[in-house]
Amino acid sequence: MTITADAVKQLRERTGAGMMECKRALVETSGNLDAAAELMRKQGLAKADKKAARIAGRAAAMVEVNCETDFVAREHDFRAFAQEVAALALGARPASLDALLALPLPSGASVDERRRTLVAKIGENIGLRRFAVLEARGRLGAYVHGTRIGALVAMEGADAALAHDLAMHVAASNPQYLSVAQVAPEVIAKEREVLTEQARAEGKPPEIVAKMVEGRLRKTLNELTLTGQPFVKDPDISIEKLLKAGNATVSSFQRFEVGAGIEKRQEDFVAEVMAQVKGSSGTPIKH
């Protein structure tokens, strides 16, 4: 049967899924919108049925796809793969990385099958490490620094300029928490313990130590939290004051830095390849 563009559009609006996923679901259910939406939920391709009235918002997806060299990071097929995966994550809202890897791309191959094909074609290991989907009732700020750092910020009451500035700030300053209220009590307790030992080592009286610790603790927490940090474009004002001035709030943020937390390779890639060639041929390579 023929599936109309309007039917696909309606299903996309209800499920937030991608166009190809919506079309396939409609084909499988003979064009029945309700049945298609339910099928997509069962398959994990739709986070929720948006048929009921809901507050309109915005959403964005961010993925980290790793390769071994900067050369491949700029390669067309690699970048196209990353963009396709991000679009799929945004449309399907998979529950886990494994679920995302198993989803079909528009070509029909799964994300992991396409990844393996690229590995064979390019000759470098390529890995999809993580992804995030952020939703905002108001406005989303996004910022990408080169090919290594990306940030998303979900806001309410902000204009486009402020949302962009906040995303840029997150990319630059790498806050760990939104506010002090989000910092786990055990983290605060451990930091207070460390600062207390440092202050005691300075030989200060106990009453002075207590004041020093609390002052230093506030400074440390400000450095860790988005609202407590000084704004990168104007260090004289904190993010908290910047938000108040703009009558805006941040509900959540996400920051990815390529390779963060992964042990860096110590060997130089080119030197490693040359060593393998020399080892296999037994003949020195001249430059």
Side-chain angles (χ1 to χ4, degrees), residues 62-90:
M62 181 165 57
V63 298
E64 178 183 341
V65 185
N66 291 313
C67 58
E68 296 181 45
T69 64
D70 289 338
F71 174 79
V72 169
R74 295 189 294 269
E75 201 266 340
H76 172 75
D77 286 346
F78 177 84
R79 296 174 70 88
F81 171 67
Q83 291 170 355
E84 282 189 326
V85 173
L88 184 59
L90 179 61

Side-chain angles (χ1 to χ4, degrees), residues 134 152-154 170 175-178 226 250-255:
L134 226 61
L152 298 172
V153 180
V170 168
Q176 303 301 300
Y177 307 92
L178 176 56
L226 174 59
V250 174
S251 56
S252 60
F253 69 88
Q254 187 66 250
R255 179 186 186 272

Side-chain angles (χ1 to χ4, degrees), residues 1-284:
M1 66 173 297
T2 301
I3 302 299
T4 66
D6 184 62
V8 174
K9 179 176 181 293
Q10 289 183 52
L11 189 57
R12 289 188 69 187
E13 290 174 349
R14 286 176 58 170
T15 64
M19 181 178 67
M20 296 303 296
E21 289 75 27
C22 290
K23 185 174 181 179
R24 276 193 287 267
L26 285 167
V27 169
E28 289 185 42
T29 57
S30 300
N32 187 306
L33 279 170
D34 291 334
E38 184 62 24
L39 174 64
M40 294 180 74
R41 291 188 66 186
K42 290 178 179 179
Q43 293 176 338
L45 297 176
K47 188 173 182 180
D49 188 347
K50 298 181 179 179
K51 184 177 181 180
R54 301 177 65 181
I55 297 175
R58 299 189 179 188
M62 181 165 57
V63 298
E64 178 183 341
V65 185
N66 291 313
C67 58
E68 296 181 45
T69 64
D70 289 338
F71 174 79
V72 169
R74 295 189 294 269
E75 201 266 340
H76 172 75
D77 286 346
F78 177 84
R79 296 174 70 88
F81 171 67
Q83 291 170 355
E84 282 189 326
V85 173
L88 184 59
L90 179 61
R93 315 289 176 90
S96 66
L97 183 60
D98 286 341
L100 176 57
L101 287 166
L103 289 176
L105 290 163
S107 64
S110 72
V111 171
D112 196 49
E113 287 170 343
R114 176 61 178 147
R115 181 192 67 82
R116 292 172 183 271
T117 299
L118 274 181
V119 169
K121 176 182 178 181
I122 294 175
E124 278 193 15
N125 189 31
I126 295 171
L128 177 57
R129 184 187 179 202
R130 52 183 172 168
F131 75 97
V133 178
L134 226 61
E135 295 186 51
R137 291 178 178 270
R139 189 180 296 274
L140 268 166
Y143 180 80
V144 177
H145 185 75
T147 61
R148 301 198 61 83
I149 299 175
L152 298 172
V153 180
M155 304 186 67
E156 291 186 40
D159 59 21
L162 181 57
H164 178 268
D165 281 349
L166 262 291
M168 181 179 64
H169 174 94
V170 168
S173 297
N174 192 21
Q176 303 301 300
Y177 307 92
L178 176 56
S179 65
V180 174
Q182 290 190 346
V183 184
E186 56 268 25
V187 173
I188 296 177
K190 182 63 178 179
E191 193 63 33
R192 182 179 279 112
E193 178 185 340
V194 171
L195 292 173
T196 298
E197 290 302 316
Q198 291 176 351
R200 285 173 178 168
E202 296 175 16
K204 304 292 184 181
E207 63 275 13
I208 300 298
V209 166
K211 292 181 180 179
M212 289 175 60
V213 167
E214 292 309 308
R216 291 176 179 178
L217 182 60
R218 283 194 298 273
K219 183 176 184 296
T220 298
L221 292 177
N222 283 340
E223 293 171 351
L224 292 174
T225 58
L226 174 59
T227 55
Q229 290 179 339
F231 182 34
V232 290
K233 293 178 69 174
D234 183 2
D236 291 332
I237 183 173
S238 68
I239 296 297
E240 182 177 22
K241 291 181 179 179
L242 180 69
L243 291 171
K244 285 182 178 179
N247 195 27
T249 58
V250 174
S251 56
S252 60
F253 69 88
Q254 187 66 250
R255 179 186 186 272
F256 282 176
E257 181 172 352
V258 173
I262 299 177
E263 184 178 354
K264 303 295 183 183
R265 292 182 59 181
Q266 298 301 313
E267 305 89 353
D268 177 74
F269 182 76
V270 176
E272 178 183 323
V273 172
M274 292 183 68
Q276 291 176 351
V277 173
K278 289 170 66 177
S280 61
S281 66
T283 304

